[in-house]
Amino acid sequence: MAAAAFSCCHGAGGMVVIVVVVMAMLGGVVAGGEPPRAADLVARLTAAEKVAQLGDQAAGVPRLGVPAYKWWSEALHGLATSGRGLHFDAPGSAARAATSFPQVLLTAAAFDDDLWFRIGQAIGTEARALYNIGQAEGLTMWSPNVNIFRDPRWGRGQETPGEDPTMASKYAVAFVKGMQGNSSAILQTSACCKHVTAYDLEDWNGVQRYNFNAKVTAQDLEDTYNPPFRSCVVDAKATCIMCAYTGINGVPACANADLLTKTVRGDWGLDGYIASDCDAVAIMRDAQRYTQTPEDAVAVALKAGLDMNCGTYMQQHATAAIQQGKLTEEDIDKALKNLFAIRMRLGHFDGDPRSNSVYGGLGAADICTPEHRSLALEAAMDGIVLLKNDAGILPLDRTAVASAAVIGPNANDGLALIGNYFGPPCESTTPLNGILGYIKNVRFLAGCNSAACDVAATDQAAAVASSSDYVFLFMGLSQKQESEGRDRTSLLLPGEQQSLITAVADAAKRPVILVLLTGGPVDVTFAQTNPKIGAILWAGYPGQAGGLAIARVLFGDHNPGGRLPVTWYPEEFTKVPMTDMRMRADPATGYPGRSYRFYQGKTVYKFGYGLSYSSYSRQLVSGGKPAESYTNLLASLRTTTTSEGDESYHIEEIGTDGCEQLKFPAVVEVQNHGPMDGKHSVLMYLRWPNAKGGRPTTQLIGFRSQHLKVGEKANIRFDISPCEHFSRVRKDGKKVIDRGSHYLMVDKDELEIRFEA
């Protein structure tokens, strides 16, 4: 029996073409996105037509009414033009811009998964709206980036939620769910979590991401690098995973069947497609020398579980690979079923997208809405981290500021707000313009020729500072220092910035205020210890509303509550090879380890650090179950003894039902003691009695954000799952729970939980 299904396509000009495709009804299932429907379409394609689908620019099949499709679009912190699938500049375009939210690392500093969900939701809505008006060639967004920010020099760390796997996992779930929508009938967009796995190096000391072989232990893979991707698939139901350029223990990620087929699609259950990073298949042969011929590279990638290559390499060489017997048409069929199934779940074969009952009503009016602009401002304000506030210099009383000097290369540069992977913002408020909204007598001087600060007008800046009532310095980094393809070699501020800041502080009438616009951390020990620098704020790359957000914090219209999502290391950390992937410290060789979980060295600022204009108290008031509630379950389980003499329970033996039985709530009482209302994030950690067996020093297990008025108390509940939160990963990659004491921690307040029969 045959059924008619509509196929729809439209170009950037907005013209909609409707054609009819006849598809067999297999097993009585014809609903969009069901595998039988995709399988039927694939079966109707010729070998040449199949091969033409294997790149990010998939060819159309006119005889079947299948439109061409652009897979590559970007939406990291707003719709971006990087993938060349989204268009804002064509004549007659109804949408000329999209909401530009803060770069991800700053958004992460809010420690608020509801905020992250709403940002994903807004971006997904704008993507679908852009598609409906004919300015998007696809709805597959290659975002988010949930790699672990392992090394502070990494140029793309700014794109990630930070260094902690729990935090990155929660960000992934919230953002992906927001992007993909909540309809069971159709996806709003398809989100793609990248780059699996252990990718966090661009170009360091002659080692490039294209030829880097990351030597990673099973322990680090399981408890650091893989959790965000697992959460993407298992918890958020992401419909795409992108494999990295990285070689992992000698095997390129995109040629790694254990990773792509066994783990991502098998163990985690990916219901979607796997894409390569751009030209990753070509790089297997050309840079990594993993295969001898292009045909070998294409064959090994497809057989490993890759479905589509960003680029044209597989389209160019797959036919020859079949002819040489290295690849079969069935290998390609498997990939194409995954690809077409996603296009069907997006509604691409169900007629005019504007007639879709769920998302068809979205259009130009749903882009750059007042709600989305307000959300961009909220995200920037909530992420800003107050690092120093000597003598309570902030917030400022606008009526008491007679004059001000605004100095710095990032003070009036719109590009300094938006980081990388961006599109045209709805609007842009620089820090200078933000301050001008509060005070009018302002003198501005860039002070440096650029963020690189190769040339500094130090004397002129000092003169301006000495004649002003207050001085604001907007310094930091830019994409010329940290970006895709570019790692840093130093953690210090670039060029003459430090000497300029010091000279200005010396000349100023009162302590100056330093605002850092950076992605990755910088060593500002000189400013931290200088009494003439009264306040320091980290504002990341704060998006289109960044300047207004900073000004509202400076003048007390917003109480800062952001916390650092990464450790800020001193410059001496740059002695550690960036290529050393070990997370855990090795005291015998002087290797200090990485991230707050394992690092054994000095810090400039610690993970989770952040000040407020208010004083808050936090106290664990309840948690845990009576010991007898564990007894029957744990008594039935065997324990194993480690080489250190510790006994542990295997998570696999406890099982899903057992893990559910072990869950319990923990409650933290938090109070705002004033003097301002504010939003406060409570971070809960787990501490083990010791660090034997490679246990982390501490491990973040949850966080909650709560707005509190002055004097208000709130009880914040954390749902504790011992199987998830008390477990640790052994050297062989297996998860166990140690028998004995585990300590829930909020600040210095601890609650002991005994885990034993």
Side-chain angles (χ1 to χ4, degrees):
M1 180 178 179
F6 285 98
S7 168
C8 173
C9 63
H10 47 70
M15 181 180 68
V16 178
V17 181
I18 305 294
V19 293
V20 175
V21 184
V22 177
M23 295 195 176
M25 183 181 294
L26 299 177
V29 178
V30 292
E34 290 294 330
R37 191 178 177 205
D40 180 76
L41 175 55
V42 172
R44 295 172 183 272
L45 301 177
T46 66
E49 290 167 343
K50 292 175 181 178
V51 168
Q53 301 299 312
L54 294 174
D56 66 278
Q57 185 67 62
V61 186
R63 68 182 184 85
L64 293 178
V66 176
Y69 184 69
K70 178 67 174 175
W71 286 92
W72 182 13
S73 293
E74 299 282 356
L76 180 69
H77 57 107
L79 301 184
T81 55
S82 314
R84 297 182 292 277
L86 309 178
H87 307 281
F88 297 95
D89 55 358
S93 294
R96 292 286 185 174
T99 310
S100 179
F101 294 94
Q103 181 61 290
V104 175
L105 194 66
L106 183 69
T107 303
F111 281 85
D112 185 345
D113 51 4
D114 176 68
L115 175 68
W116 304 336
F117 172 81
R118 287 184 286 131
I119 290 172
Q121 193 175 46
I123 295 171
T125 295
E126 294 196 356
R128 175 63 76 160
L130 200 72
Y131 180 78
N132 287 354
I133 62 175
Q135 291 180 225
E137 297 180 62
L139 284 166
T140 39
M141 304 293 146
W142 288 355
S143 303
N145 181 344
V146 293
N147 289 114
I148 295 298
F149 195 171
R150 172 188 63 96
D151 191 290
R153 293 163 285 188
W154 185 32
R156 298 186 74 178
Q158 59 181 292
E159 302 175 27
T160 76
E163 70 183 33
D164 180 73
T166 295
M167 186 175 180
S169 296
K170 288 183 178 294
Y171 179 87
V173 172
F175 187 85
V176 168
K177 284 185 173 181
M179 281 273 290
Q180 295 193 160
N182 56 10
S183 171
S184 59
I186 186 172
L187 292 167
Q188 178 173 246
T189 67
S190 165
C192 189
C193 295
K194 59 186 185 185
H195 316 75
V196 68
T197 186
Y199 164 53
D200 46 24
L201 177 147
E202 300 300 305
D203 186 353
W204 178 82
N205 201 27
V207 179
Q208 294 185 321
R209 58 181 177 164
Y210 306 120
N211 57 18
F212 176 48
N213 177 38
K215 296 178 181 179
V216 189
T217 67
Q219 191 175 35
D220 285 341
L221 273 177
E222 182 63 28
D223 79 354
T224 298
Y225 297 114
N226 282 351
F229 296 100
R230 183 191 302 112
S231 292
C232 271
V233 175
V234 175
D235 300 318
K237 308 301 179 189
T239 46
C240 169
I241 289 289
M242 177 181 286
C243 52
Y245 296 117
T246 317
I248 303 166
N249 299 324
V251 181
C254 294
N256 193 323
D258 280 345
L259 176 64
L260 304 186
T261 297
K262 182 178 181 296
T263 301
V264 173
R265 199 172 290 283
D267 295 344
W268 300 346
L270 175 69
D271 183 11
Y273 71 102
I274 299 176
S276 80
D277 207 339
C278 292
D279 294 320
V281 178
I283 284 165
M284 289 181 200
R285 173 183 178 267
D286 298 340
Q288 296 170 329
R289 300 298 177 187
Y290 186 71
T291 64
Q292 292 186 339
T293 69
E295 293 79 16
D296 289 332
V298 170
V300 74
L302 281 167
K303 288 179 179 293
L306 186 68
D307 296 316
M308 187 265 293
N309 168 60
C310 177
T312 60
Y313 202 74
M314 291 211 299
Q315 291 165 315
Q316 293 172 355
H317 300 292
T319 299
I322 293 173
Q323 292 170 346
Q324 294 172 19
K326 297 175 179 178
L327 191 67
T328 67
E329 198 169 329
E330 288 72 24
D331 293 323
I332 296 177
D333 288 352
K334 181 175 63 174
L336 265 55
K337 290 171 189 175
N338 294 327
L339 295 173
F340 278 114
I342 291 301
R343 291 182 62 180
M344 289 171 179
R345 289 172 64 187
L346 287 164
H348 289 171
F349 295 86
D350 297 327
D352 185 340
R354 294 171 297 188
S355 66
N356 177 273
S357 61
V358 182
Y359 303 115
L362 297 175
D366 298 290
I367 302 172
C368 288
T369 65
E371 293 79 11
H372 292 176
R373 294 172 192 241
S374 177
L375 182 60
L377 175 60
E378 177 189 347
M381 291 190 300
D382 285 357
I384 290 172
V385 182
L386 180 62
L387 297 173
K388 179 181 180 181
N389 194 23
D390 283 0
I393 187 174
L394 296 178
L396 297 174
D397 179 354
R398 62 192 296 178
T399 64
V401 181
S403 64
V406 174
I407 299 170
N410 285 338
N412 199 34
D413 182 0
L415 285 177
L417 302 174
I418 53 181
N420 64 356
Y421 282 94
F422 60 86
C426 313
E427 58 197 4
S428 181
T429 304
T430 65
L432 173 62
N433 288 330
I435 289 175
L436 284 169
Y438 282 84
I439 50 178
K440 300 305 180 186
N441 187 7
V442 175
R443 296 179 65 186
F444 165 63
L445 181 71
C448 296
N449 58 330
S450 66
C453 207
D454 301 308
V455 179
T458 305
D459 292 341
Q460 188 180 356
V464 170
S466 66
S467 61
S468 301
D469 196 19
Y470 281 86
V471 178
F472 303 93
L473 286 150
F474 291 91
M475 313 301 283
L477 306 174
S478 75
Q479 301 306 300
K480 296 294 179 65
Q481 287 79 46
E482 54 174 355
S483 60
E484 184 168 4
R486 182 180 288 115
D487 294 321
R488 287 184 288 158
T489 56
S490 172
L491 298 179
L492 300 176
L493 289 170
E496 300 299 315
Q497 282 197 37
Q498 181 170 326
S499 61
L500 175 68
I501 293 167
T502 302
V504 167
D506 287 342
K509 297 177 180 179
R510 52 171 52 90
V512 302
I513 297 158
L514 174 62
V515 181
L516 299 168
L517 273 67
T518 75
V522 286
D523 182 351
V524 288
T525 304
F526 79 96
Q528 186 185 50
T529 58
N530 188 342
K532 293 188 176 182
I533 298 174
I536 306 174
L537 288 87
W538 176 68
Y541 296 124
Q544 66 180 42
L548 178 56
I550 292 167
R552 287 195 173 186
V553 170
L554 292 174
F555 290 94
D557 284 337
H558 181 80
N559 190 351
R563 291 169 174 258
L564 292 178
V566 289
T567 301
W568 283 34
Y569 300 88
E571 172 70 2
E572 65 188 44
F573 187 86
T574 58
K575 297 176 183 177
V576 176
M578 201 170 170
T579 49
D580 195 323
M581 300 295 292
R582 290 176 296 167
M583 296 301 299
R584 289 156 170 84
D586 183 2
T589 62
Y591 182 69
R594 297 177 182 274
S595 85
Y596 78 93
R597 298 161 65 223
F598 302 108
Y599 176 61
Q600 297 178 3
K602 296 178 182 178
T603 61
V604 179
Y605 291 109
K606 294 182 178 182
F607 174 90
Y609 179 81
L611 303 175
S612 171
Y613 297 151
S614 290
S615 173
Y616 297 91
S617 61
R618 297 155 295 273
Q619 183 180 5
L620 272 161
V621 294
S622 67
K625 288 183 175 181
E628 58 265 22
S629 65
Y630 296 131
T631 302
N632 292 338
L633 174 62
L634 299 183
S636 66
L637 302 173
R638 68 181 178 90
T639 61
T640 57
T641 303
T642 67
S643 57
E644 293 89 1
D646 297 318
E647 292 184 85
S648 59
Y649 300 92
H650 288 254
I651 298 294
E652 292 176 354
E653 291 192 15
I654 296 175
T656 303
D657 291 342
C659 286
E660 283 295 319
Q661 293 178 41
L662 294 175
K663 291 181 178 179
F664 65 89
V667 177
V668 178
E669 181 186 272
V670 57
Q671 182 174 8
N672 181 356
H673 299 282
M676 291 178 62
D677 297 349
K679 188 176 178 183
H680 184 65
S681 295
V682 177
L683 279 55
M684 181 175 285
Y685 294 85
L686 183 78
R687 180 179 71 81
W688 286 268
N690 56 63
K692 291 189 295 185
R695 299 180 185 92
T697 305
T698 58
Q699 170 65 58
L700 181 71
I701 61 173
F703 49 87
R704 295 285 186 275
S705 185
Q706 179 77 36
H707 189 275
L708 295 166
K709 295 180 180 180
V710 175
E712 184 180 2
K713 287 183 180 180
N715 285 338
I716 300 177
R717 173 179 167 136
F718 291 82
D719 294 316
I720 307 300
S721 169
C723 289
E724 177 184 356
H725 299 136
F726 290 5
S727 61
R728 66 176 177 87
V729 177
R730 301 187 315 194
K731 291 182 179 180
D732 61 2
K734 299 293 184 180
K735 295 183 76 172
V736 298
I737 302 178
D738 291 321
R739 184 174 181 269
S741 295
H742 300 74
Y743 298 88
L744 298 179
M745 292 178 55
V746 175
D747 297 328
K748 296 181 180 179
D749 197 18
E750 291 190 347
L751 184 66
E752 181 180 5
I753 307 294
R754 296 285 299 175
F755 196 83
E756 57 191 1

